[in-house]
Amino acid sequence: MVTLAYYVSGHGFGHISRSLEVIRALTTRRSDLSVILRTSAPRWFIDLAKLHGVECETFETDPGMTQADSLTLDIPDTTARAAARSEEHTSELQSRF
């Protein structure tokens, strides 16, 4: 059995919809492939794809831009969220290895 960890941004539906089709193609071609999909995309959207051999884990791959409204970026909050996510990810990786 081969396991692939596949990380996808949860920002919008474009990244996840394209990635689900890539995963479908990979698992169709490789029956020995299992996929761990790590994303913050909504689970209901992933479930619609009806993929087999795919385990989903909630994971924020990127904090995205914080916006006060549709035109105003909140740079200080975005920077703080990115720094916090980097520290969390580093700690998680260190605990696994």
Side-chain angles (χ1 to χ4, degrees):
M1 179 66 74
V2 176
T3 303
L4 171 68
Y6 197 111
Y7 291 75
V8 183
S9 172
H11 187 75
F13 293 110
H15 298 294
I16 190 66
S17 62
R18 287 185 297 276
S19 292
L20 291 172
E21 292 310 312
V22 169
I23 292 168
R24 182 186 315 283
L26 290 170
T27 56
T28 298
R29 286 167 178 77
R30 292 284 306 258
S31 60
D32 65 332
L33 180 66
S34 70
V35 178
I36 300 170
L37 176 60
R38 301 192 82 195
T39 184
S40 59
R43 181 60 187 256
W44 63 263
F45 190 81
I46 296 164
D47 290 343
L48 289 174
K50 298 183 177 165
L51 298 174
H52 301 285
V54 177
E55 175 187 335
C56 295
E57 295 180 3
T58 300
F59 183 84
E60 186 174 322
T61 59
D62 61 81
M65 292 297 293
T66 304
Q67 293 177 260
D69 56 46
S70 62
L71 299 174
T72 309
L73 301 177
D74 185 338
I75 302 300
D77 186 65
T78 299
T79 303
R81 289 178 61 220
R85 183 63 199 122
S86 178
E87 289 174 19
E88 290 170 17
H89 188 61
T90 300
S91 295
E92 178 188 350
L93 288 174
Q94 288 172 342
S95 70
R96 285 189 173 199
F97 300 103

